[in-house]
Amino acid sequence: MQTVPWLIFVARCAISATAAYLIADFIALPYPVWASMSAVIVSQERLNDTTSSLQGRIAGTIVGVCVALAVNLATSAVAGMAWQIMLAVGICAAIAGRYPSFRVCLWTAPIVLLTENASMPIAWAGFYRGSEVILGSIVGGAFHLLAERLMPVFGWKGPEDRRRPRATRINDE
């Protein structure tokens, strides 16, 4: 990684993590740390990779929240937390095995289950955890897009510009 793109990556990650935290805190989400972490987790070196990571993180988060809610609704009267976690993670593992980009559901489901308490019913825990993660992911993706758009203004080349040129077809010669 060249110096300028590396410094931009460092700045982008630091700023997006901070911005996601501040936004989540401003709108009073209970655990803004999830927004901050998600902003960094989706950040990749190339915009296409960040976009792919962002899509998988949002979809996987929604899957994880839905699985946690469904498992809790179906089993809370007959199964303790350990059984609910086992069932939710098992379902999510089956989904992530088929759709690897959704693997965030593997830890989203237990996080939702474990953050439910008497003052925060499971539906609210799911809503808040999903909101925190999706907010952070969008902020991380937005800062990457902004950085990609600003780099040419300053004459800097990003990772997308350093790829090898496409091979020409034989018939074009």
Side-chain angles (χ1 to χ4, degrees), residues 15-97:
I15 293 168
S16 65
T18 305
Y21 173 83
L22 291 172
I23 294 167
D25 188 54
F26 179 76
I27 62 175
L29 290 173
Y31 295 101
V33 65
W34 296 115
S36 186
M37 288 174 27
S38 294
V40 175
I41 290 169
V42 301
S43 294
Q44 306 294 316
E45 184 180 355
R46 290 182 171 78
L47 183 58
N48 287 342
D49 296 336
T50 295
T51 302
S52 178
S53 176
L54 173 67
Q55 292 167 344
R57 188 142 182 93
I58 291 172
T61 296
I62 293 168
V63 168
V65 168
C66 290
V67 168
L69 295 176
V71 165
N72 183 265
L73 180 66
T75 66
S76 64
V78 295
M81 183 57 65
W83 286 100
Q84 289 181 42
I85 291 171
M86 183 178 70
L87 183 57
V89 171
I91 293 168
C92 288
I95 294 167

Side-chain angles (χ1 to χ4, degrees), residues 80-123:
M81 183 57 65
W83 286 100
Q84 289 181 42
I85 291 171
M86 183 178 70
L87 183 57
V89 171
I91 293 168
C92 288
I95 294 167
R98 178 74 174 99
Y99 304 99
S101 67
F102 291 11
R103 69 183 166 273
V104 68
C105 70
L106 288 164
W107 54 88
T108 301
I111 288 169
V112 169
L113 290 168
L114 292 168
T115 56
E116 177 223 10
N117 58 47
S119 65
M120 184 181 298
I122 189 79

Side-chain angles (χ1 to χ4, degrees), residues 124-162:
W124 282 108
F127 172 76
Y128 283 132
R129 295 309 76 78
S131 297
E132 292 152 358
V133 171
I134 291 169
L135 170 69
S137 298
I138 291 170
V139 169
F143 272 95
H144 192 156
L145 181 62
L146 178 64
E148 290 288 321
R149 297 293 185 255
L150 289 177
M151 286 177 69
V153 171
F154 296 102
W156 299 328
K157 292 185 180 216
E160 305 292 334
D161 295 333
R162 292 191 312 261

